[in-house]
Amino acid sequence: ETPPVMDVEYLKKNVGEALSEGLTETVLQAPPDSVDYLGKWLLNYVKLKREGKAKAKEIAMAEKSMKMINMQAISAAKVQMAMTKSKKAVQEKLKAFNAFLEEVNHTQLYFDRLCQHLSENLVIPNVYLGEKVERPKGEEKEEVLKYIAATSGQKFMLTKLLKKDEGSTFTIFEKKEGEEEEIEPEEGKENPPKDPNTLSIENVLIGPAARKTVFFTTPKTGSYFCAHISCKAYTSLANFDAALPAIEEVKKAAEEKKAEVEAKQKENEEKVAKILEELKAIEEAEQKAAEASVEEGKKEEEGKKRRGGKKGRGKESSRGARSQEKRAYGTKRGDR
């Protein structure tokens, strides 16, 4: 019989490393019971290997979790940056729109720009502004909605009228259930703002509201939203235009007042500057006077020193002369 062939590659792959390390350790330690020692070493080896695999798995999971957290943080930062950028862009547009309002002097320009502003900032493709007016109908009058402004691609709406019994838009003019009559505010005061009546249709082609929807062109899918905005400042475009000169007068008066305040401020600044110059001149004069006084004191001290030196030299000269006279006298006596 042929003996079974030992799978050497299998042993090398699965137990070769463990047996090699175990046998090496057994030889190095030289225990009394080498078989028992090798068996226990192999059991400990298996335990350490399992713990190492578990630890490696935990590390891998932790690294994966950290990577996901970092990705989420980066994504959140990008979203935040995009929101900040978008918010800044909206603020810039609002700033430009407010600047436009300060300069506008025609009603139609104002309403056209308002439609454009709402379309750009609310991401709405089509925006209309309508005014509820009355028109003759036989001996009576009927209410209609006259479109007075629209975004650039919807200018055809300016020739259209929406009757009260058409569509659902006129529901925004109806009084809400339980809504109280508006009380006239006290003189110098205003009533707090209240939420406007609105109408929202999620899809103009589906549902009960779709049957009432009026299309002035080819029907298209989309949403519809409208709000009732009332303003007591005008009741028609003509009245609004009539109020513009008064607004210009108010602006002019405000500019004149601003110029007056600026002129007064400039005058005060000039007075303060003049006072500061005078104080500086006085300070410089006092400093020069003090320096002159010090210089004069120095000169006086030097003069005293010079006068004292002259007196000393005079005495020495007198003594020298007398000594010479004595020597001369002695010489004369000797001659005699």
Side-chain angles (χ1 to χ4, degrees):
E1 295 182 5
T2 305
V5 180
M6 184 179 295
D7 194 340
V8 178
E9 294 299 325
Y10 172 81
L11 292 175
K12 284 182 180 181
K13 183 178 179 181
N14 293 282
V15 297
E17 182 182 352
L19 282 175
S20 177
E21 292 182 15
L23 290 171
T24 302
E25 189 68 21
T26 304
V27 171
L28 291 174
Q29 298 298 327
D33 191 344
S34 57
V35 175
D36 181 67
Y37 180 85
L38 179 59
K40 289 180 178 179
W41 188 93
L42 288 171
L43 290 173
N44 188 55
Y45 177 88
V46 173
K47 180 181 178 183
L48 291 176
K49 281 289 185 180
R50 287 176 179 173
E51 290 178 354
K53 288 181 179 179
K55 191 69 176 176
K57 188 176 180 180
E58 289 178 3
I59 293 173
M61 290 180 65
E63 290 177 348
K64 186 177 180 181
S65 298
M66 185 59 67
K67 187 176 180 181
M68 290 181 64
I69 291 171
N70 290 337
M71 289 177 65
Q72 290 175 356
I74 292 171
S75 179
K78 288 182 178 179
V79 171
Q80 184 64 34
M81 288 177 63
M83 290 177 64
T84 302
K85 188 176 180 180
S86 176
K87 186 177 180 181
K88 187 176 180 180
V90 170
Q91 289 175 346
E92 289 295 329
K93 289 181 180 179
L94 183 60
K95 185 178 178 181
F97 180 65
N98 289 334
F100 167 79
L101 294 182
E102 293 293 330
E103 302 296 331
V104 67
N105 56 6
H106 191 276
T107 312
Q108 196 59 50
L109 290 176
Y110 170 80
F111 287 139
D112 289 343
R113 185 62 181 272
L114 177 60
C115 290
Q116 179 185 346
H117 177 73
L118 293 175
S119 177
E120 291 176 354
N121 290 279
L122 299 180
V123 195
I124 303 173
N126 303 319
V127 178
Y128 319 106
L129 287 179
E131 180 187 14
K132 188 178 71 169
V133 297
E134 292 182 343
R135 70 171 185 174
K137 185 181 180 181
E139 296 181 356
E140 300 179 352
K141 293 183 178 181
E142 68 170 348
E143 292 181 341
V144 296
L145 192 65
K146 178 183 178 183
Y147 294 97
I148 58 176
T151 45
S152 58
Q154 305 294 315
K155 294 297 184 181
F156 67 90
M157 291 291 294
L158 302 181
T159 62
K160 305 297 181 181
L161 294 174
L162 182 67
K163 297 179 181 179
K164 186 176 182 179
D165 56 355
E166 295 177 336
S168 306
T169 301
F170 266 86
T171 58
I172 64 174
F173 301 116
E174 297 175 359
K175 186 177 177 182
K176 291 181 180 179
E177 186 177 351
E179 183 180 5
E180 298 179 356
E181 291 289 341
E182 187 173 357
I183 302 173
E184 192 70 25
E186 298 179 10
E187 187 175 354
K189 295 184 179 181
E190 294 183 359
N191 288 332
K194 61 179 182 178
D195 295 334
N197 292 347
T198 61
L199 170 66
S200 178
I201 302 175
E202 186 175 352
N203 193 325
V204 294
L205 296 178
I206 301 174
R211 292 191 291 271
K212 295 182 180 180
T213 303
V214 176
F215 293 95
F216 293 104
T217 58
T218 305
K220 295 180 181 179
T221 184
S223 302
Y224 177 75
F225 177 84
C226 61
H228 176 204
I229 302 174
S230 60
C231 180
K232 292 186 177 181
Y234 78 100
T235 55
S236 67
L237 292 177
N239 291 343
F240 190 90
D241 285 330
L244 287 175
I247 295 173
E248 293 298 326
E249 289 181 6
V250 172
K251 287 183 179 180
K252 185 178 178 181
E255 290 174 356
E256 291 176 353
K257 184 66 177 178
K258 183 180 178 181
E260 182 182 346
V261 171
E262 289 176 350
K264 189 69 177 177
Q265 184 178 357
K266 185 178 180 180
E267 182 182 350
N268 292 336
E269 289 175 353
E270 290 175 352
K271 287 181 180 179
V272 171
K274 187 177 180 180
I275 292 171
L276 291 175
E277 288 179 0
E278 292 176 355
L279 290 174
K280 186 177 179 180
I282 293 171
E283 185 180 352
E284 290 176 351
E286 290 178 348
Q287 186 175 355
K288 288 181 179 179
E291 291 175 353
S293 178
V294 172
E295 189 67 27
E296 186 178 349
K298 287 181 180 179
K299 289 180 179 180
E300 186 177 348
E301 187 67 26
E302 290 176 359
K304 287 180 180 180
K305 288 181 180 180
R306 284 196 295 270
R307 287 194 295 273
K310 288 179 179 179
K311 287 181 180 180
R313 286 193 298 272
K315 289 179 180 179
E316 290 175 359
S317 299
S318 298
R319 291 194 194 100
R322 284 195 295 271
S323 298
Q324 289 176 2
E325 287 176 1
K326 287 180 180 180
R327 285 195 300 270
Y329 176 73
T331 304
K332 287 178 182 181
R333 289 185 63 183
D335 291 342
R336 287 194 299 270

